[in-house]
Amino acid sequence: MTELQQHKHHIKLSEESLQKQTTTINLGPTHPATHGVFQNIMEIDGERVIETVPTVGFIHRAFEKIAERRPFYQITTLTDRLNYCSSPINNMGWHMTMEKLLKIKVPKRVEYLRVIIMELSRIADHLVCNSVIAVDTGALTPFTYVFQTREHIYEIFEEICGSRLTTNIGRVGGFERNFTEASFTKLNAFIKDFPRVMNEFENLLNRNRIFMDRCIGAGPISAERALNYGFTGPNLRATGVDYDVRIAQPYSSYEDFEFSIPVGTIGDVYDRFMVRNGEMWQSLSIIKQALEKIQAIEKEFPEQKNIFYAQEADHFHLPPKQDVYTKMEALIYHFKIIMGEIDAPVGEVYHSVEGGNGELGYYLISDGGRTPYRLHFRRPCFIYYQAYPEMVRNGLLSDAIITLSSLNVIAGELDA
Amino acid sequence: MALSNELIQEQLTNKFGEQLTNWEQQFGLLTFTAPAENNIEIMHYLYDNETLRFRFLTDLTAVHYPEKTGEELCVVYLLHNLIDNIRLRYKVYMPISQPDVQSVTSIFSSANWLEREAYDFFGVNFIGHPNLSRIMNVDDMDYFPMRKEYPMEDPTRRDKDDEMFGRGGSF
């Protein structure tokens, strides 16, 4: 035995670990393939995953606790940081929860504008997820290609609310300001450009032999298990269950739109990929319909052009700054809202929206104070990520990686 | 026949009678309270019954009501019948000195982490849970942070006490 080998023996390993035939590896928390802060302690036999134990909570920020000490209008910024790939949906979901509690009826034009924003962010969310599956299977080009389109979506957000990723878009009752001409121009340019990009993206991957071989059969889950695990969103639909909150419990006038729900069959990575692709096409169609509906409203009632929030929400909707300087009522409401002097009614409300990766629910208990008594976020990621060990068991390690990316687990939403 | 809130209430009252209390409907969502001892029976009934078919656990969380003596902690289940597309909320209250409730992980796999979260933040003891350990917070934490027992970090801040949030008085 050489000196070097003898030195090795100073490392004390337990008998069990010397005897066992499998390897324990640590995937994450900062592994480039995990796309977020997740840790998985995996027991592998060669390339085969025997067991995995996910650890969550690395970026837990106690949002539910913080929300108990914040006026209602300040909670929007917390929701931004849940699923940060589609923040506007989270923001809108929170506003709609408040509107439900306050029994505010939002004008149709505002609802359609919201639908546009939500569908744009759904596209942005799905683009990231799907292109990242491609990255994890070894194709970097589609990822860099569609990020240009995502950039266009972010430019639209920027035009509307001034920020891009954590948008804080909209207010209780509507939007903080009306959509500018430029935002509609950018939106129309996006609608014109997106089918070309999407077609090219699908051409690169959908029937790509290598991609199909990698994805088909990887990380499958049956519909029964998925329902038992509380799956929602594209991941549930990939198993063949057509549950979509937009259809099941329509909000923001989704019942006015014609669209279909793409579903898969065996719930593997490829099904999830295809369902998301299908949803992006549906989202595009919804955006087009929403624009037509807005134009129809504006044609019939030209004065509606300037309506971007519900008048009855003025106790909670921060008035435009120029009004604060020139109008008495606006100044009063501004003061009352900023100073947190407006109590919300007592009540318990659950409202859910179809987020980027499932049913995003807000369970709000108000005791009549100026902050929630209790606010709970139903985060789809947190609930369905539990199924991960079951999905990757007995599969290959490389399949475990693409399963993780195709589930679209977002650390911010997972840990809240 | 489509399932309605009234029908659910009738069916459950026929089965469990006086055990279920506090029936109410807020924003169209039927809510009731059940005793903590037999929550698993009720959950089984809701799951197995061919008319009710509440086979999807949407959400599970806990709430702390410090002034309700003897029933300080509350576990809230939100169930969904995906076939008839109807939701149901169901609450279980328990004393903070003995926060025991049956785990529903045997029915819903999704309850696993949700119950761990409720344990982590409120200290609810789910009997029969396969691995009731902390999930978000560090393992050696010795308190339950979401209980309404903790004042603001900086007690000198007058702008953040309860009076400023419409409740009067402070912790």
Side-chain angles (χ1 to χ4, degrees):
Chain A
M1 201 176 274
T2 66
E3 207 173 299
L4 199 67
Q5 276 172 324
Q6 273 178 352
H7 184 73
K8 263 188 182 168
H9 285 239
H10 288 293
I11 302 167
K12 288 270 183 290
L13 286 172
S14 68
E15 196 59 30
E16 187 198 353
S17 123
L18 286 169
Q19 293 298 323
K20 68 171 187 175
Q21 298 293 304
T22 55
T23 321
T24 311
I25 60 159
N26 218 355
L27 190 75
T30 53
H31 192 275
T34 57
H35 311 289
V37 199
F38 316 111
Q39 187 192 27
N40 272 291
I41 300 162
M42 280 186 176
E43 200 63 39
I44 54 169
D45 179 10
E47 277 287 297
R48 211 155 276 282
V49 179
I50 295 167
E51 188 54 78
T52 174
V53 182
T55 322
V56 302
F58 282 97
I59 61 161
H60 172 62
R61 292 144 297 174
F63 281 164
E64 290 176 9
K65 186 75 183 171
I66 296 171
E68 288 175 11
R69 282 289 184 168
R70 278 199 179 186
F72 293 102
Y73 73 99
Q74 288 183 357
I75 291 168
T76 324
T77 50
L78 298 179
T79 64
D80 276 335
R81 284 146 183 88
L82 289 172
N83 180 352
Y84 39 73
C85 286
S86 51
S87 307
I89 303 183
N90 310 349
N91 300 157
M92 304 284 173
W94 167 244
H95 299 321
M96 282 183 250
T97 311
M98 278 305 291
E99 283 155 15
K100 202 169 176 179
L101 178 71
L102 301 168
K103 300 192 174 74
I104 291 168
K105 178 95 185 68
V106 176
K108 279 279 176 192
R109 179 174 187 266
V110 178
E111 292 198 320
Y112 294 148
L113 289 175
R114 280 184 170 172
V115 166
I116 293 177
I117 299 299
M118 285 191 282
E119 293 308 316
L120 279 176
S121 36
R122 193 180 320 282
I123 293 176
D125 188 285
H126 287 356
L127 277 180
V128 176
C129 176
N130 271 0
S131 57
V132 160
I133 301 174
V135 171
D136 288 344
T137 54
L140 197 68
T141 316
F143 175 74
T144 47
Y145 186 58
V146 299
F147 259 53
Q148 220 172 345
T149 307
R150 182 171 169 266
E151 179 69 23
H152 292 156
I153 296 173
Y154 280 0
E155 276 177 22
I156 298 170
F157 293 163
E158 199 174 7
E159 187 61 40
I160 292 160
C161 72
S163 53
R164 296 157 58 83
L165 191 72
T166 50
T167 46
N168 191 21
I169 199 168
R171 299 285 180 264
V172 175
F175 284 92
E176 61 273 36
R177 64 178 83 86
N178 206 350
F179 280 33
T180 57
E181 274 308 308
S183 56
F184 283 112
T185 316
K186 282 181 178 176
L187 188 60
N188 284 320
F190 169 80
I191 291 172
K192 207 162 155 250
D193 187 52
F194 184 66
R196 182 184 60 81
V197 177
M198 199 55 205
N199 276 326
E200 208 152 352
F201 181 71
E202 291 197 321
N203 272 345
L204 276 167
L205 295 169
N206 280 13
R207 304 298 294 167
N208 180 328
R209 193 70 249 170
I210 304 166
F211 184 74
M212 285 166 75
D213 283 349
R214 284 286 275 108
C215 294
I216 293 174
I221 188 160
S222 69
E224 288 77 24
R225 291 305 293 152
L227 284 171
N228 202 259
Y229 267 120
F231 273 49
T232 42
N235 298 333
L236 177 66
R237 293 192 280 273
T239 67
V241 182
D242 62 345
Y243 174 64
D244 188 317
V245 188
R246 291 176 293 175
I247 303 274
Q249 262 114 27
Y251 52 91
S252 197
S253 292
Y254 265 110
E255 65 274 16
D256 298 356
F257 294 90
E258 280 290 326
F259 64 102
S260 55
I261 309 176
V263 289
T265 46
I266 59 164
D268 60 354
V269 175
Y270 191 68
D271 272 352
R272 287 191 278 273
F273 174 82
M274 292 305 278
V275 163
R276 285 201 171 84
N277 272 349
E279 277 185 21
M280 283 193 265
W281 287 111
Q282 295 301 322
S283 296
L284 183 70
S285 140
I286 295 173
I287 294 170
K288 281 184 193 160
Q289 292 174 43
L291 269 179
E292 278 165 22
K293 285 181 200 293
I294 290 168
Q295 278 157 3
I297 290 174
E298 288 177 355
K299 205 173 167 193
E300 202 176 336
F301 312 100
E303 73 283 357
Q304 285 263 328
K305 249 186 179 161
N306 301 321
I307 289 183
F308 59 93
Y309 69 97
Q311 290 294 329
E312 53 193 301
D314 47 15
H315 278 75
F316 286 86
H317 179 275
L318 209 57
K321 204 70 178 170
Q322 63 269 30
D323 288 356
V324 175
Y325 287 131
T326 52
K327 291 182 184 136
M328 179 65 111
E329 292 82 9
L331 178 64
I332 293 170
Y333 285 128
H334 178 91
F335 182 80
K336 288 183 86 167
I337 293 167
I338 294 293
M339 296 310 290
E341 291 197 347
I342 297 169
D343 295 344
V346 181
E348 273 187 47
V349 46
Y350 177 82
H351 184 77
S352 59
V353 293
E354 182 67 28
N357 38 24
E359 177 175 344
L360 177 71
Y362 297 85
Y363 177 42
L364 168 69
I365 302 177
S366 167
D367 66 339
R370 289 152 201 175
T371 59
Y373 184 77
R374 169 96 171 95
L375 176 63
H376 177 74
F377 303 112
R378 188 222 184 254
R379 290 115 51 209
C381 277
F382 178 69
I383 294 170
Y384 67 62
Y385 186 45
Q386 299 179 65
Y388 183 66
E390 192 175 308
M391 292 166 85
V392 302
R393 196 170 292 146
N394 297 325
L396 295 176
L397 179 59
S398 51
D399 287 354
I401 302 285
I402 55 171
T403 306
L404 185 60
S405 49
S406 72
L407 281 175
N408 197 21
V409 185
I410 308 281
E413 191 173 84
L414 182 72
D415 294 345
Chain B
M1 193 178 74
L3 203 57
S4 68
N5 284 345
E6 287 70 33
L7 208 72
I8 300 167
Q9 182 166 354
E10 199 187 300
Q11 184 114 11
L12 284 169
T13 328
N14 286 345
K15 174 80 182 162
F16 294 101
E18 297 297 300
Q19 291 187 337
L20 311 183
T21 48
N22 291 344
W23 291 92
E24 57 169 347
Q25 284 188 42
Q26 278 198 34
F27 305 97
L29 184 57
L30 187 69
T31 308
F32 67 89
T33 306
E37 302 83 62
N38 61 355
N39 71 320
I40 192 93
E41 282 168 45
I42 295 164
M43 197 65 100
H44 264 300
Y45 182 70
L46 288 167
Y47 188 94
D48 295 331
N49 189 287
E50 279 307 314
T51 359
L52 298 174
R53 296 186 286 196
F54 283 98
R55 289 174 191 161
F56 189 82
L57 179 73
T58 305
D59 202 4
L60 188 162
T61 190
V63 192
H64 183 207
Y65 296 101
E67 61 287 343
K68 286 190 186 175
T69 321
E71 39 186 46
E72 287 95 345
L73 283 178
C74 171
V75 173
V76 187
Y77 302 92
L78 186 66
L79 298 164
H80 198 161
N81 175 339
L82 290 174
I83 300 156
D84 296 300
N85 191 21
I86 193 159
R87 291 184 199 271
L88 177 72
R89 186 190 289 142
Y90 138 43
K91 295 182 180 180
V92 171
Y93 287 91
M94 65 212 86
I96 204 159
S97 49
Q98 203 194 353
D100 293 344
V101 64
Q102 300 285 328
S103 165
V104 295
T105 41
S106 56
I107 309 172
F108 299 109
S109 305
S110 53
N112 190 324
W113 284 11
L114 289 166
E115 286 183 353
R116 277 178 71 186
E117 197 188 26
Y119 162 74
D120 192 355
F121 289 107
F122 292 91
V124 181
N125 182 25
F126 291 96
I127 297 164
H129 190 282
N131 171 29
L132 196 64
S133 55
R134 290 191 180 270
I135 185 159
M136 290 295 172
N137 295 309
V138 286
D139 289 338
D140 49 3
M141 199 181 223
D142 55 358
Y143 55 94
F144 301 109
M146 285 286 283
R147 287 186 181 175
K148 297 207 175 268
E149 291 170 351
Y150 305 102
M152 285 286 293
E153 272 178 37
D154 181 359
T156 58
R157 276 190 72 168
R158 290 286 303 139
D159 61 329
K160 287 264 179 178
D161 73 4
D162 264 13
E163 224 168 319
M164 304 305 288
F165 294 107
R167 295 202 181 93
S170 51
F171 282 118

